[in-house]
Amino acid sequence: MLRIGAVERLKGEPIFSADLKLDHPLTLNVLRSSRAHARIVKIDINGALNVKGVVKVFTASDVPGNNLTGIINKDRPLLVSDKVRFVGDSIAFVAAENEEAAEKGVHAINVVYEDLPAVFDPEEALKDSAPKIHEKGNLLFSRKVKKGNIDKAFENCQAVVEKTYQTSCLEHTYLEPDAGAGYVDGDGTIVIFASTQNPHYDHSEVVSILGVEDEKVRIIQAATGGGFGSKLDLNVQGFIGLALYHLKRPVRYVYTREEAFLATAKRHPLTMIMKTGADRNGKLLAMRARIICDTGAYASYGIAVASRSAVHATGPYEVENVDIEAHCVYTNKPFSGAMRGFGAPQMAFANESQMDLLAKELSMDPFEIRRVNIFRQGSETATGQKLTESIGILECLDAIQPYYKGAVKKWRTSEASPFKRKGVGIGAMWYGIGNTGMRNPSTARVEMDPAGAVTLYTGCADIGQGSTTVLAQIVAETLCLEADAIQLVVGDTKYTTNAGATSASRQTYISGNAVKEAAEKLRELLMTGAVDVLKVGKGSLMLDSGFVADSNDNAKRVSFSKLAARAYKKGLPFVCQGYFDPETVPLDPETGQGVPYSTYAFACHLAFVTVDTMTGEVRVEKVVAAHDVGKAIYPEGVIGQICGGVAMGVGFALMEEFMHGQTESMKDYFIPTCKDMPEVIPIIVESREPTGPFGAKGVGEPALIPTAPAILNALNDALGERIYSLPANLERVLEASIRSGCFGPKEAKNV
Amino acid sequence: MYAGLAYVRPEKLDEALEFLEEHGGETAVVAGGTDVMVDLRSGALQTGYLLDVSRLSELKGIAMQGEELWVGAGTTLSEIYSSETLALFAPALQKAAFTFGSKQVRNTATIAGNVVNASPSADTMPPLLIHEARVVLASSNGVRTVPVEAMSTGPYKSAIHPDEVITRFILKPAKSMLADFQKIARRKALAISRMNMAVMAEKDETGKIMFMRLALGSSTPTPRRMEDVEAFLLGKRPDRALLWEAGQVLAEKMVEITGRRPSTGYKEKAAQGLFMRMLYPLV
Ligand SMILES: Cc1cc2nc3c(=O)[nH]c(=O)nc-3n(C[C@H](O)[C@H](O)[C@H](O)COP(=O)(O)OP(=O)(O)OC[C@H]3O[C@@H](n4cnc5c(N)ncnc54)[C@H](O)[C@@H]3O)c2cc1C
């Protein structure tokens, strides 16, 4: 089947926030801080009010409710009143009749700052002498995971590898810059269309900012052109809500690319000091990890990133003795938040490098060392969780091994042009589905109208990943219908109930289960109704494309519509609510012991790279990507995620780096083009998850995680020199080539 | 943002020149617009008029004229990409088009726009330099011809006069043994050169280099022909060690011109490496 909405997208029909037709909408423009850390002495808006076309200028004093926002902890003001904490902080905004006036208005606002000392290095920020960015200090959160006795275990190790790894700050660079539009309804409801990954969170946040009743705000997810985690934060929604509250005129706000770069979340740069030890058989005995996550000026999802990076530090391997600490630290940089993988991609880079280094120390094959340690049934994770089901990592490793063997035998030694070296590398990963050791339920509603038509109501935002298709398939499968027969109401807080965030690869697993429960309840109602009509026991009834039939006598059947009509007449409408919350046990604050997730996705990638030893240019030729997704409900969607994940992984590995104060837009921030893309060979492994809908887990973030580690290990394979900081750009690769002795006249192989 | 900006599109070169005679000081010539539109949006370019020269037939065409190779100022990178004449007589210039921007950019970007924008990384500059191109400039006062290296006085500083339009480039055609253009960039398409280089070389019957032209871009304030390196190699029989040494001369010359910057650490090595890679077919 075709993905739901694919044809409409191809024809350009979906309505993005910027496309919404509104009656003379006002446009907004935000005044952003030009200082990294400064007290605000005065905001003079009079100049702006005199600009023709400016309708109102908003400052913190216009916020009727809570000015502080944030999904985990509320530390980010919608509009700053006391001090700014990064270049890009929002101070005031202008509502105007047109963009030109809005822009002029912003330039006419005069802010008097009193500069404060700023801190940009997270390690500096942790010192007592560092300027305090927030009242409570610069340490936002620490996650510790401790088990066994590492000191004793390190003594018994044959090989110990200790290295420091660094990753860069990234901008998500989704296709559609943040946008929203809205109006005030006839009954006074504030209606906001937004490009968002979490309409129900937006709803609670706008309600909190405005201090109004829940019913007074309605958020509708407009067509959304990607998010990758950045559209989990409030971007334009709060400004639009505030403007609607005061002005009661339609409003639209679309970020420029520059604004999206300046003012929205980034990926946390991580410093990872890793010490890993193994015995002479390669069995991992101990790991010590010290992780610093630079969250910038505000927390956003920082706590989740720190927590997840600590929990995932070991990679998909058993390590009996661990001492892991992740610290999340405020600095005066743009704030970091959620980005595809929440710290796991950074950790995988460090951890998979460690695995290859240990293999080298012990003269082992990189597959062998992974095989010795990899999670199996009954394995215990660093947090003390026993893994019992759906552990497809060995199958993933097995799936890529033939490609590795072939590459080592033939491809790697085959003729390359002079000055080129080839290498292959492995990256493995595990990824806990859903939030870390926290409740994160989803709900859904499935209704059948008196005519027998089925509608799914879900708050789950489809931002391009295809959740709507999967959820419709789940309803259809449960009710024995075709997926395109299911009517859909998606991401509209007036009609849908909370499905939580489209993040943490959780929607197929968690919302899938909620949807399935609702559909099963409806199925039950249909069966019960049919018993009444057909006078046949439930045990012998079955669903058959719109009918309930007697499995012994197929002629004995009653249509869904008849059953629905009867029920409605009796005053018992077919309206079914579903719910699912994965079982977790919160992590102990001191030891991190607990059950952070109820299931994990697994994957292995194999990367083939060619390195130019004279210039540092790298071509990723091929990525073989094996993913255990439990069950691929929509295989084309899984493959789409894998290919997109690889693309993002290539960017993370080789070129992406957001430099605060410098990087402005796509002109100086490079993401891969199709010419940079390797051939991708996706391999779907299905290790059924008993608690998943039809056995499914998730793949959204896992798709990206192993790519960069595989590429970095391949670079090392090609050059014999390792790179410890991302991105492995021209400069770093050429340096590695020089260190390895590959750079020079003699090294050229004859053609 | 563009209030007060007027758009003018003459049908004939003479009309354009007339317009420039009167309004040159407050006019930006626009051809493909791939630099002009970007600068307009960012505010870097403030101007009263946009004079569109993209439809002027006088600026079109690629052809051999006797001993000279003429390339019209309004030739797009796509036209360069697929020109059989250039494949024969200026292959390095054609190769510059292969890695230039993206198809969409190539379809509208022009060679004159690239030269007048005067970016140190302009990809057509090294090939134009090795073909010792001369630039034909027209104004209502007449025509003047200058060597292409005189067209730019520094990064993004063009020596063109406000009342002038480039009409064409006159290249010395060459059919040499080796003719190449390569660039290093942060990704494989849609990327500005970190370094680019164009070369032509020919060996005599005894294996000695008898003809050589080399130009380096993105590494000096304006793209430069590297005559010192040419002279170093002339009359010598190339082997790996010699090329490596010549690459060293190139790197030193680059640092001498540009001075040391944060990017020098990479560039001096990359210049030597890229040079080696490009000249290696001579060994
Ligand atoms: C996405 C993107 C990718 C790019 N990639 C590359 C790349 O790979 N390599 C590269 O070198 N550049 C690249 N560029 C830069 C740009 O495309 C080139 O410099 C291009 O050649 C400019 O030509 P144009 O016709 O678009 O010039 P315009 O923008 O129209 O004009 C540029 C300048 O030239 C002047 N001008 C144009 N024609 C004439 C004329 N006949 N007489 C006098 N003055 C004239 C204009 O007044 C202006 O000052 C890229 C740009 C973009 C936006």
PDB file of all heavy atoms in Angstrom, chain B residues 29-36 59 73 100-101 105 109-110 112-114 116-117 121-123 160 165-166 183 190-191, ligand 1:
ATOM      1  N   VAL B  29      23.960  45.237 -12.313  1.00  0.00           N
ATOM      2  CA  VAL B  29      23.702  44.345 -13.443  1.00  0.00           C
ATOM      3  C   VAL B  29      23.361  42.977 -12.870  1.00  0.00           C
ATOM      4  O   VAL B  29      23.971  42.541 -11.897  1.00  0.00           O
ATOM      5  CB  VAL B  29      24.950  44.267 -14.350  1.00  0.00           C
ATOM      6  CG1 VAL B  29      24.820  43.150 -15.373  1.00  0.00           C
ATOM      7  CG2 VAL B  29      25.184  45.609 -15.027  1.00  0.00           C
ATOM      8  N   VAL B  30      22.367  42.336 -13.455  1.00  0.00           N
ATOM      9  CA  VAL B  30      22.051  40.975 -13.007  1.00  0.00           C
ATOM     10  C   VAL B  30      21.977  40.066 -14.223  1.00  0.00           C
ATOM     11  O   VAL B  30      21.397  40.417 -15.241  1.00  0.00           O
ATOM     12  CB  VAL B  30      20.760  40.934 -12.153  1.00  0.00           C
ATOM     13  CG1 VAL B  30      19.564  41.470 -12.924  1.00  0.00           C
ATOM     14  CG2 VAL B  30      20.467  39.534 -11.653  1.00  0.00           C
ATOM     15  N   ALA B  31      22.634  38.916 -14.096  1.00  0.00           N
ATOM     16  CA  ALA B  31      22.571  37.921 -15.172  1.00  0.00           C
ATOM     17  C   ALA B  31      21.769  36.734 -14.644  1.00  0.00           C
ATOM     18  O   ALA B  31      20.550  36.739 -14.691  1.00  0.00           O
ATOM     19  CB  ALA B  31      23.974  37.530 -15.597  1.00  0.00           C
ATOM     20  N   GLY B  32      22.445  35.746 -14.075  1.00  0.00           N
ATOM     21  CA  GLY B  32      21.712  34.609 -13.498  1.00  0.00           C
ATOM     22  C   GLY B  32      21.111  34.942 -12.142  1.00  0.00           C
ATOM     23  O   GLY B  32      20.181  34.302 -11.669  1.00  0.00           O
ATOM     24  N   GLY B  33      21.668  35.936 -11.490  1.00  0.00           N
ATOM     25  CA  GLY B  33      21.139  36.369 -10.200  1.00  0.00           C
ATOM     26  C   GLY B  33      21.534  35.471  -9.032  1.00  0.00           C
ATOM     27  O   GLY B  33      21.084  35.687  -7.909  1.00  0.00           O
ATOM     28  N   THR B  34      22.386  34.486  -9.265  1.00  0.00           N
ATOM     29  CA  THR B  34      22.671  33.551  -8.169  1.00  0.00           C
ATOM     30  C   THR B  34      23.579  34.160  -7.101  1.00  0.00           C
ATOM     31  O   THR B  34      23.683  33.622  -6.004  1.00  0.00           O
ATOM     32  CB  THR B  34      23.293  32.239  -8.695  1.00  0.00           C
ATOM     33  OG1 THR B  34      24.479  32.551  -9.423  1.00  0.00           O
ATOM     34  CG2 THR B  34      22.321  31.495  -9.582  1.00  0.00           C
ATOM     35  N   ASP B  35      24.222  35.244  -7.419  1.00  0.00           N
ATOM     36  CA  ASP B  35      24.898  36.020  -6.368  1.00  0.00           C
ATOM     37  C   ASP B  35      24.073  37.249  -5.997  1.00  0.00           C
ATOM     38  O   ASP B  35      23.882  37.548  -4.832  1.00  0.00           O
ATOM     39  CB  ASP B  35      26.290  36.478  -6.838  1.00  0.00           C
ATOM     40  CG  ASP B  35      27.296  35.345  -6.845  1.00  0.00           C
ATOM     41  OD1 ASP B  35      27.308  34.551  -5.878  1.00  0.00           O
ATOM     42  OD2 ASP B  35      28.070  35.240  -7.806  1.00  0.00           O
ATOM     43  N   VAL B  36      23.558  37.930  -7.023  1.00  0.00           N
ATOM     44  CA  VAL B  36      22.850  39.188  -6.784  1.00  0.00           C
ATOM     45  C   VAL B  36      21.626  38.987  -5.877  1.00  0.00           C
ATOM     46  O   VAL B  36      21.416  39.735  -4.921  1.00  0.00           O
ATOM     47  CB  VAL B  36      22.434  39.829  -8.120  1.00  0.00           C
ATOM     48  CG1 VAL B  36      21.387  40.910  -7.909  1.00  0.00           C
ATOM     49  CG2 VAL B  36      23.652  40.416  -8.831  1.00  0.00           C
ATOM     50  N   LEU B  59      25.607  38.690 -25.679  1.00  0.00           N
ATOM     51  CA  LEU B  59      26.474  38.106 -24.651  1.00  0.00           C
ATOM     52  C   LEU B  59      26.505  36.581 -24.728  1.00  0.00           C
ATOM     53  O   LEU B  59      27.031  35.925 -23.846  1.00  0.00           O
ATOM     54  CB  LEU B  59      25.999  38.523 -23.254  1.00  0.00           C
ATOM     55  CG  LEU B  59      25.769  40.008 -22.983  1.00  0.00           C
ATOM     56  CD1 LEU B  59      25.502  40.242 -21.498  1.00  0.00           C
ATOM     57  CD2 LEU B  59      26.965  40.839 -23.425  1.00  0.00           C
ATOM     58  N   ALA B  73      29.819  36.402 -22.395  1.00  0.00           N
ATOM     59  CA  ALA B  73      29.716  36.703 -20.971  1.00  0.00           C
ATOM     60  C   ALA B  73      28.491  36.057 -20.340  1.00  0.00           C
ATOM     61  O   ALA B  73      28.499  35.642 -19.187  1.00  0.00           O
ATOM     62  CB  ALA B  73      29.653  38.217 -20.762  1.00  0.00           C
ATOM     63  N   PHE B 100      30.103  22.472 -10.312  1.00  0.00           N
ATOM     64  CA  PHE B 100      29.653  23.820  -9.961  1.00  0.00           C
ATOM     65  C   PHE B 100      28.231  23.757  -9.399  1.00  0.00           C
ATOM     66  O   PHE B 100      27.299  23.318 -10.086  1.00  0.00           O
ATOM     67  CB  PHE B 100      29.679  24.677 -11.226  1.00  0.00           C
ATOM     68  CG  PHE B 100      29.608  26.161 -11.002  1.00  0.00           C
ATOM     69  CD1 PHE B 100      30.741  26.953 -11.158  1.00  0.00           C
ATOM     70  CD2 PHE B 100      28.415  26.772 -10.656  1.00  0.00           C
ATOM     71  CE1 PHE B 100      30.679  28.320 -10.974  1.00  0.00           C
ATOM     72  CE2 PHE B 100      28.343  28.135 -10.465  1.00  0.00           C
ATOM     73  CZ  PHE B 100      29.479  28.924 -10.630  1.00  0.00           C
ATOM     74  N   GLY B 101      28.030  24.222  -8.183  1.00  0.00           N
ATOM     75  CA  GLY B 101      26.692  24.332  -7.574  1.00  0.00           C
ATOM     76  C   GLY B 101      25.864  23.082  -7.773  1.00  0.00           C
ATOM     77  O   GLY B 101      26.299  21.970  -7.483  1.00  0.00           O
ATOM     78  N   VAL B 105      21.393  25.725 -10.175  1.00  0.00           N
ATOM     79  CA  VAL B 105      22.286  26.891 -10.170  1.00  0.00           C
ATOM     80  C   VAL B 105      22.972  27.021 -11.526  1.00  0.00           C
ATOM     81  O   VAL B 105      23.039  28.105 -12.104  1.00  0.00           O
ATOM     82  CB  VAL B 105      23.319  26.773  -9.025  1.00  0.00           C
ATOM     83  CG1 VAL B 105      24.388  27.851  -9.148  1.00  0.00           C
ATOM     84  CG2 VAL B 105      22.618  26.871  -7.679  1.00  0.00           C
ATOM     85  N   ALA B 109      23.326  30.407 -13.574  1.00  0.00           N
ATOM     86  CA  ALA B 109      24.575  31.120 -13.268  1.00  0.00           C
ATOM     87  C   ALA B 109      25.406  31.300 -14.534  1.00  0.00           C
ATOM     88  O   ALA B 109      25.482  30.409 -15.369  1.00  0.00           O
ATOM     89  CB  ALA B 109      25.377  30.338 -12.242  1.00  0.00           C
ATOM     90  N   THR B 110      26.046  32.475 -14.665  1.00  0.00           N
ATOM     91  CA  THR B 110      26.836  32.760 -15.861  1.00  0.00           C
ATOM     92  C   THR B 110      28.313  32.924 -15.513  1.00  0.00           C
ATOM     93  O   THR B 110      28.679  33.180 -14.359  1.00  0.00           O
ATOM     94  CB  THR B 110      26.371  34.068 -16.532  1.00  0.00           C
ATOM     95  OG1 THR B 110      26.587  35.152 -15.618  1.00  0.00           O
ATOM     96  CG2 THR B 110      24.900  33.994 -16.920  1.00  0.00           C
ATOM     97  N   ALA B 112      30.314  35.365 -16.596  1.00  0.00           N
ATOM     98  CA  ALA B 112      30.657  36.751 -16.248  1.00  0.00           C
ATOM     99  C   ALA B 112      30.245  37.055 -14.820  1.00  0.00           C
ATOM    100  O   ALA B 112      30.961  37.740 -14.081  1.00  0.00           O
ATOM    101  CB  ALA B 112      29.991  37.729 -17.207  1.00  0.00           C
ATOM    102  N   GLY B 113      29.105  36.546 -14.422  1.00  0.00           N
ATOM    103  CA  GLY B 113      28.661  36.737 -13.046  1.00  0.00           C
ATOM    104  C   GLY B 113      29.683  36.188 -12.068  1.00  0.00           C
ATOM    105  O   GLY B 113      29.990  36.798 -11.045  1.00  0.00           O
ATOM    106  N   ASN B 114      30.221  35.036 -12.394  1.00  0.00           N
ATOM    107  CA  ASN B 114      31.218  34.395 -11.541  1.00  0.00           C
ATOM    108  C   ASN B 114      32.468  35.277 -11.424  1.00  0.00           C
ATOM    109  O   ASN B 114      33.017  35.444 -10.332  1.00  0.00           O
ATOM    110  CB  ASN B 114      31.576  33.026 -12.138  1.00  0.00           C
ATOM    111  CG  ASN B 114      32.224  32.079 -11.140  1.00  0.00           C
ATOM    112  OD1 ASN B 114      33.239  31.483 -11.431  1.00  0.00           O
ATOM    113  ND2 ASN B 114      31.637  31.935  -9.967  1.00  0.00           N
ATOM    114  N   VAL B 116      32.723  38.635 -12.099  1.00  0.00           N
ATOM    115  CA  VAL B 116      32.483  39.958 -11.508  1.00  0.00           C
ATOM    116  C   VAL B 116      32.173  39.850 -10.016  1.00  0.00           C
ATOM    117  O   VAL B 116      32.523  40.723  -9.234  1.00  0.00           O
ATOM    118  CB  VAL B 116      31.351  40.700 -12.261  1.00  0.00           C
ATOM    119  CG1 VAL B 116      31.055  42.036 -11.595  1.00  0.00           C
ATOM    120  CG2 VAL B 116      31.741  40.903 -13.714  1.00  0.00           C
ATOM    121  N   ASN B 117      31.573  38.759  -9.610  1.00  0.00           N
ATOM    122  CA  ASN B 117      31.320  38.584  -8.182  1.00  0.00           C
ATOM    123  C   ASN B 117      32.639  38.536  -7.401  1.00  0.00           C
ATOM    124  O   ASN B 117      32.704  38.899  -6.237  1.00  0.00           O
ATOM    125  CB  ASN B 117      30.512  37.304  -7.956  1.00  0.00           C
ATOM    126  CG  ASN B 117      30.121  37.109  -6.521  1.00  0.00           C
ATOM    127  OD1 ASN B 117      29.502  37.988  -5.929  1.00  0.00           O
ATOM    128  ND2 ASN B 117      30.495  35.983  -5.939  1.00  0.00           N
ATOM    129  N   SER B 121      36.920  32.030  -4.344  1.00  0.00           N
ATOM    130  CA  SER B 121      36.700  30.632  -4.722  1.00  0.00           C
ATOM    131  C   SER B 121      35.954  30.462  -6.032  1.00  0.00           C
ATOM    132  O   SER B 121      35.521  29.355  -6.330  1.00  0.00           O
ATOM    133  CB  SER B 121      35.951  29.869  -3.630  1.00  0.00           C
ATOM    134  OG  SER B 121      35.700  30.636  -2.524  1.00  0.00           O
ATOM    135  N   ALA B 122      35.795  31.515  -6.799  1.00  0.00           N
ATOM    136  CA  ALA B 122      35.070  31.400  -8.072  1.00  0.00           C
ATOM    137  C   ALA B 122      35.675  30.274  -8.906  1.00  0.00           C
ATOM    138  O   ALA B 122      36.866  30.286  -9.211  1.00  0.00           O
ATOM    139  CB  ALA B 122      35.134  32.714  -8.820  1.00  0.00           C
ATOM    140  N   ASP B 123      34.825  29.326  -9.272  1.00  0.00           N
ATOM    141  CA  ASP B 123      35.357  28.118  -9.905  1.00  0.00           C
ATOM    142  C   ASP B 123      35.796  28.313 -11.354  1.00  0.00           C
ATOM    143  O   ASP B 123      36.583  27.524 -11.865  1.00  0.00           O
ATOM    144  CB  ASP B 123      34.319  26.986  -9.836  1.00  0.00           C
ATOM    145  CG  ASP B 123      34.294  26.322  -8.467  1.00  0.00           C
ATOM    146  OD1 ASP B 123      35.344  26.330  -7.788  1.00  0.00           O
ATOM    147  OD2 ASP B 123      33.237  25.794  -8.075  1.00  0.00           O
ATOM    148  N   ILE B 160      35.542  46.195 -12.392  1.00  0.00           N
ATOM    149  CA  ILE B 160      34.664  46.674 -13.464  1.00  0.00           C
ATOM    150  C   ILE B 160      34.169  48.083 -13.139  1.00  0.00           C
ATOM    151  O   ILE B 160      33.981  48.431 -11.968  1.00  0.00           O
ATOM    152  CB  ILE B 160      33.491  45.682 -13.666  1.00  0.00           C
ATOM    153  CG1 ILE B 160      32.787  45.950 -14.989  1.00  0.00           C
ATOM    154  CG2 ILE B 160      32.508  45.745 -12.505  1.00  0.00           C
ATOM    155  CD1 ILE B 160      31.877  44.823 -15.429  1.00  0.00           C
ATOM    156  N   VAL B 165      29.678  46.612 -19.108  1.00  0.00           N
ATOM    157  CA  VAL B 165      29.152  45.248 -19.139  1.00  0.00           C
ATOM    158  C   VAL B 165      30.229  44.389 -19.788  1.00  0.00           C
ATOM    159  O   VAL B 165      30.869  44.816 -20.759  1.00  0.00           O
ATOM    160  CB  VAL B 165      27.850  45.205 -19.967  1.00  0.00           C
ATOM    161  CG1 VAL B 165      27.498  43.778 -20.352  1.00  0.00           C
ATOM    162  CG2 VAL B 165      26.692  45.831 -19.189  1.00  0.00           C
ATOM    163  N   ILE B 166      30.441  43.203 -19.245  1.00  0.00           N
ATOM    164  CA  ILE B 166      31.345  42.274 -19.930  1.00  0.00           C
ATOM    165  C   ILE B 166      30.570  41.679 -21.092  1.00  0.00           C
ATOM    166  O   ILE B 166      29.407  41.286 -20.933  1.00  0.00           O
ATOM    167  CB  ILE B 166      31.809  41.133 -19.007  1.00  0.00           C
ATOM    168  CG1 ILE B 166      32.583  41.696 -17.812  1.00  0.00           C
ATOM    169  CG2 ILE B 166      32.678  40.130 -19.773  1.00  0.00           C
ATOM    170  CD1 ILE B 166      33.102  40.621 -16.857  1.00  0.00           C
ATOM    171  N   LYS B 183      38.266  20.431  -7.570  1.00  0.00           N
ATOM    172  CA  LYS B 183      38.020  21.247  -6.390  1.00  0.00           C
ATOM    173  C   LYS B 183      37.828  20.383  -5.164  1.00  0.00           C
ATOM    174  O   LYS B 183      37.399  19.238  -5.260  1.00  0.00           O
ATOM    175  CB  LYS B 183      36.833  22.192  -6.610  1.00  0.00           C
ATOM    176  CG  LYS B 183      35.454  21.665  -6.312  1.00  0.00           C
ATOM    177  CD  LYS B 183      34.425  22.708  -6.756  1.00  0.00           C
ATOM    178  CE  LYS B 183      33.217  22.786  -5.865  1.00  0.00           C
ATOM    179  NZ  LYS B 183      32.199  23.713  -6.394  1.00  0.00           N
ATOM    180  N   LEU B 190      26.786  21.478  -4.469  1.00  0.00           N
ATOM    181  CA  LEU B 190      26.329  22.675  -3.771  1.00  0.00           C
ATOM    182  C   LEU B 190      27.288  23.108  -2.685  1.00  0.00           C
ATOM    183  O   LEU B 190      26.888  23.297  -1.537  1.00  0.00           O
ATOM    184  CB  LEU B 190      24.951  22.398  -3.142  1.00  0.00           C
ATOM    185  CG  LEU B 190      23.772  22.580  -4.079  1.00  0.00           C
ATOM    186  CD1 LEU B 190      22.511  22.060  -3.427  1.00  0.00           C
ATOM    187  CD2 LEU B 190      23.599  24.046  -4.445  1.00  0.00           C
ATOM    188  N   ALA B 191      28.542  23.203  -3.048  1.00  0.00           N
ATOM    189  CA  ALA B 191      29.503  23.601  -2.028  1.00  0.00           C
ATOM    190  C   ALA B 191      30.534  24.539  -2.619  1.00  0.00           C
ATOM    191  O   ALA B 191      30.949  24.391  -3.764  1.00  0.00           O
ATOM    192  CB  ALA B 191      30.193  22.372  -1.455  1.00  0.00           C
TER     193      ALA B 191
HETATM  194  C1  LIG C   1      23.429  27.523  -4.241  1.00  0.00           C
HETATM  195  C2  LIG C   1      24.604  28.180  -4.887  1.00  0.00           C
HETATM  196  C3  LIG C   1      25.698  27.407  -5.273  1.00  0.00           C
HETATM  197  C4  LIG C   1      26.800  27.988  -5.874  1.00  0.00           C
HETATM  198  N1  LIG C   1      27.843  27.206  -6.229  1.00  0.00           N
HETATM  199  C5  LIG C   1      28.942  27.765  -6.788  1.00  0.00           C
HETATM  200  C6  LIG C   1      30.073  26.973  -7.179  1.00  0.00           C
HETATM  201  O1  LIG C   1      30.078  25.749  -7.034  1.00  0.00           O
HETATM  202  N2  LIG C   1      31.151  27.612  -7.681  1.00  0.00           N
HETATM  203  C7  LIG C   1      31.196  28.956  -7.855  1.00  0.00           C
HETATM  204  O2  LIG C   1      32.198  29.465  -8.323  1.00  0.00           O
HETATM  205  N3  LIG C   1      30.132  29.727  -7.512  1.00  0.00           N
HETATM  206  C8  LIG C   1      29.016  29.171  -6.993  1.00  0.00           C
HETATM  207  N4  LIG C   1      27.951  29.967  -6.635  1.00  0.00           N
HETATM  208  C9  LIG C   1      28.019  31.418  -6.847  1.00  0.00           C
HETATM  209  C10 LIG C   1      27.359  31.905  -8.148  1.00  0.00           C
HETATM  210  O3  LIG C   1      26.433  30.962  -8.618  1.00  0.00           O
HETATM  211  C11 LIG C   1      28.375  32.163  -9.233  1.00  0.00           C
HETATM  212  O4  LIG C   1      29.270  33.156  -8.823  1.00  0.00           O
HETATM  213  C12 LIG C   1      27.731  32.524 -10.572  1.00  0.00           C
HETATM  214  O5  LIG C   1      28.641  32.310 -11.617  1.00  0.00           O
HETATM  215  C13 LIG C   1      27.230  33.940 -10.652  1.00  0.00           C
HETATM  216  O6  LIG C   1      26.643  34.143 -11.942  1.00  0.00           O
HETATM  217  P1  LIG C   1      25.239  34.866 -12.126  1.00  0.00           P
HETATM  218  O7  LIG C   1      24.990  34.953 -13.573  1.00  0.00           O
HETATM  219  O8  LIG C   1      24.208  34.216 -11.320  1.00  0.00           O
HETATM  220  O9  LIG C   1      25.620  36.289 -11.518  1.00  0.00           O
HETATM  221  P2  LIG C   1      24.680  37.424 -10.907  1.00  0.00           P
HETATM  222  O10 LIG C   1      24.289  37.076  -9.542  1.00  0.00           O
HETATM  223  O11 LIG C   1      23.635  37.786 -11.874  1.00  0.00           O
HETATM  224  O12 LIG C   1      25.764  38.580 -10.863  1.00  0.00           O
HETATM  225  C14 LIG C   1      26.944  38.471 -10.101  1.00  0.00           C
HETATM  226  C15 LIG C   1      27.765  39.730 -10.298  1.00  0.00           C
HETATM  227  O13 LIG C   1      28.200  39.803 -11.646  1.00  0.00           O
HETATM  228  C16 LIG C   1      27.752  41.007 -12.257  1.00  0.00           C
HETATM  229  N5  LIG C   1      27.521  40.678 -13.649  1.00  0.00           N
HETATM  230  C17 LIG C   1      26.854  39.594 -14.134  1.00  0.00           C
HETATM  231  N6  LIG C   1      26.926  39.576 -15.474  1.00  0.00           N
HETATM  232  C18 LIG C   1      27.648  40.655 -15.852  1.00  0.00           C
HETATM  233  C19 LIG C   1      28.062  41.177 -17.124  1.00  0.00           C
HETATM  234  N7  LIG C   1      27.792  40.559 -18.261  1.00  0.00           N
HETATM  235  N8  LIG C   1      28.785  42.294 -17.108  1.00  0.00           N
HETATM  236  C20 LIG C   1      29.084  42.924 -15.970  1.00  0.00           C
HETATM  237  N9  LIG C   1      28.736  42.485 -14.762  1.00  0.00           N
HETATM  238  C21 LIG C   1      28.011  41.358 -14.701  1.00  0.00           C
HETATM  239  C22 LIG C   1      26.587  41.426 -11.432  1.00  0.00           C
HETATM  240  O14 LIG C   1      26.387  42.806 -11.505  1.00  0.00           O
HETATM  241  C23 LIG C   1      27.001  40.992 -10.044  1.00  0.00           C
HETATM  242  O15 LIG C   1      27.875  41.927  -9.495  1.00  0.00           O
HETATM  243  C24 LIG C   1      26.826  29.387  -6.069  1.00  0.00           C
HETATM  244  C25 LIG C   1      25.725  30.162  -5.697  1.00  0.00           C
HETATM  245  C26 LIG C   1      24.622  29.575  -5.114  1.00  0.00           C
HETATM  246  C27 LIG C   1      23.452  30.423  -4.727  1.00  0.00           C
END
